[in-house]
Amino acid sequence: MFTNPNRSTKTFKFYTNQEIPAVGLGTWQSTEEEAYNAVLSALKAGYRHIDTAAAYGNEDIVGRAIKDSGIPRKDIFITTKLWCTDHTRPKQALQESLKKLGTEYVDLYLMHWPVPLNPNGNDPKFPTLPNGNRDILHDWDFIKTYAGLQELLDTGLTKSIGVSNFSKKNLQKLLEAPSTKVKPVVNQIEAHPLLPQFNLFNFCKENGIIIEAYSPLGSTNSPILTNETVVELAKKYGVQPATILISWAVWRGTVVLPKSVTPSRIESNFETVSLSDEDGEKLNKISEKGTSRLINPNWSPIEVFDEND
Ligand code: A2P
């Protein structure tokens, strides 16, 4: 009754017309060796989209795997991200990332979090104050950071810029800022049927900003892979629960970044089925019983997430 899952060669288009492969490999929480093998397996399986970040500490390994794959650089969509302690120096940070990745440009550069942290604090990644709170830069904000990202577009070091972990409120604030001349092409957020973020999703859609879904499978020890509706649809389509979640993300028009370090899963995660609208809506309804945010670092006193999203 249903067609077999197909290798996902689908792409979405940014409002700038640049294309992005709908399914990309997420590399967060991978050790160096895992990341190397995962990227090689993914490229072999047909992925042409790899998502990394300075904060993942694996850009050099990811870059090496891309080189070793023998696939021309121009055929691969690479995203990396600006870390919080680098908000006042995006150009230098991107240059350092490019050096590690061994490439002259990335396809997409994202502000990882809307939180500028002290670059001279007690830790290079997560500086804290004596009271344990994050050491936040109070004379800076994400609007200034974004203005710095915009300048990178003229350097050729990145083709596009975007944001990550932006709530609707923060995105509105960014879009309304006089210094914002170029809209972000994407907002990369946690998104899965237990956290569909419909309000944020609709706001991004209205503004021509593509959502990229991270932790689409519900991250480690996922509660979603065993969700009744997901399992039922997996049986119906004759695929794994993970395939249903990835296919749902694509069905609703989001880029999706499943992470795996297991070659067989990397391969199967690249295969999607064409969900019927009725089944897509069934998955949309899962969150009616309650939502669950799985990635929720404490950025106090800065408000990052908005539960109305
Ligand atoms: P592993 O990396 O050991 O293969 P997310 O993309 O939501 O962050 O989820 C990543 C988690 O889901 C990892 O623990 C990963 O395990 C696991 N995972 C990835 N693909 C699948 C799959 N097809 N089936 C079950 N679990 C998966």
Side-chain angles (χ1 to χ4, degrees):
M1 176 176 169
F2 295 106
T3 51
N4 287 330
N6 281 316
R7 275 154 52 103
S8 176
T9 50
K10 188 177 172 70
T11 57
F12 291 116
K13 258 191 188 170
F14 298 148
Y15 71 84
T16 56
N17 272 337
Q18 185 190 0
E19 279 187 275
I20 181 165
V23 180
L25 179 76
T27 62
W28 184 45
Q29 290 182 332
S30 311
T31 65
E32 290 197 349
E33 197 189 336
E34 284 172 344
Y36 180 82
N37 291 326
V39 172
L40 268 187
S41 301
L43 293 171
K44 203 169 151 210
Y47 290 68
R48 290 296 178 268
H49 175 183
I50 310 291
D51 184 273
T52 181
Y56 302 167
N58 61 16
E59 287 169 312
D60 45 352
I61 303 291
V62 167
R64 185 137 45 87
I66 289 173
K67 275 237 161 75
D68 291 352
S69 76
I71 294 166
R73 166 68 188 91
K74 67 172 179 37
D75 294 343
I76 304 175
F77 191 104
I78 305 177
T79 301
T80 195
K81 312 185 190 86
L82 175 76
W83 185 242
C84 304
T85 46
D86 285 328
H87 274 214
T88 58
R89 53 189 290 280
K91 187 170 178 191
Q92 291 95 315
L94 177 53
Q95 281 169 328
E96 285 161 22
S97 284
L98 292 175
K99 201 167 165 209
K100 287 187 183 144
L101 283 163
T103 180
E104 284 175 6
Y105 70 95
V106 284
D107 297 273
L108 179 59
Y109 196 45
L110 304 183
M111 188 189 322
H112 205 150
W113 292 91
V115 184
L117 292 178
N118 184 358
N120 304 310
N122 65 354
D123 185 89
K125 208 166 147 190
F126 289 111
T128 51
L129 296 171
N131 67 6
N133 280 353
R134 298 271 191 233
D135 189 355
I136 286 164
L137 269 189
H138 290 287
D139 58 350
W140 202 265
D141 61 21
F142 61 73
I143 292 177
K144 285 188 188 167
T145 310
Y146 191 80
L149 283 185
Q150 279 180 157
E151 286 173 20
L152 298 176
L153 289 170
D154 293 330
T155 64
L157 301 176
T158 185
K159 288 195 174 168
S160 287
I161 54 169
V163 295
S164 181
N165 296 300
F166 267 59
S167 61
K168 178 176 163 183
K169 249 190 230 163
N170 281 341
L171 209 43
Q172 261 167 335
K173 210 166 139 189
L174 178 68
L175 296 182
E176 283 162 12
S179 58
T180 302
K181 312 281 185 216
V182 181
K183 274 190 306 191
V185 292
V186 305
N187 183 18
Q188 185 178 125
I189 56 167
E190 178 182 341
H192 44 69
L194 280 177
L195 195 69
Q197 311 216 50
F198 292 123
N199 283 334
L200 177 57
F201 173 89
N202 288 334
F203 179 77
C204 286
K205 203 166 172 187
E206 283 157 21
N207 283 283
I209 297 168
I210 288 193
I211 294 268
E212 294 190 311
Y214 74 69
S215 298
L217 310 177
S219 202
T220 318
N221 301 324
S222 168
I224 318 171
L225 289 171
T226 51
N227 172 278
E228 209 182 314
T229 309
V230 176
V231 171
E232 180 197 306
L233 290 176
K235 278 199 194 121
K236 177 172 170 181
Y237 285 82
V239 294
Q240 296 179 22
T243 307
I244 293 296
L245 296 172
I246 295 163
S247 303
W248 171 78
V250 176
W251 168 80
R252 72 177 192 140
T254 66
V255 166
V256 57
L257 303 165
K259 173 257 161 187
S260 176
V261 294
T262 316
S264 59
R265 288 174 169 173
I266 291 171
E267 215 173 293
S268 65
N269 289 348
F270 193 58
E271 305 213 317
T272 51
V273 288
S274 205
L275 286 182
S276 69
D277 287 348
E278 194 190 342
D279 291 333
E281 295 295 344
K282 269 191 200 163
L283 292 157
N284 276 354
K285 289 205 168 74
I286 289 179
S287 61
E288 284 177 0
K289 288 186 190 153
T291 57
S292 175
R293 189 182 288 282
L294 305 162
I295 312 299
N296 198 358
N298 176 10
W299 294 110
S300 168
I302 293 193
E303 262 187 52
V304 170
F305 298 126
D306 180 348
E307 294 320 313
N308 295 318
D309 280 349

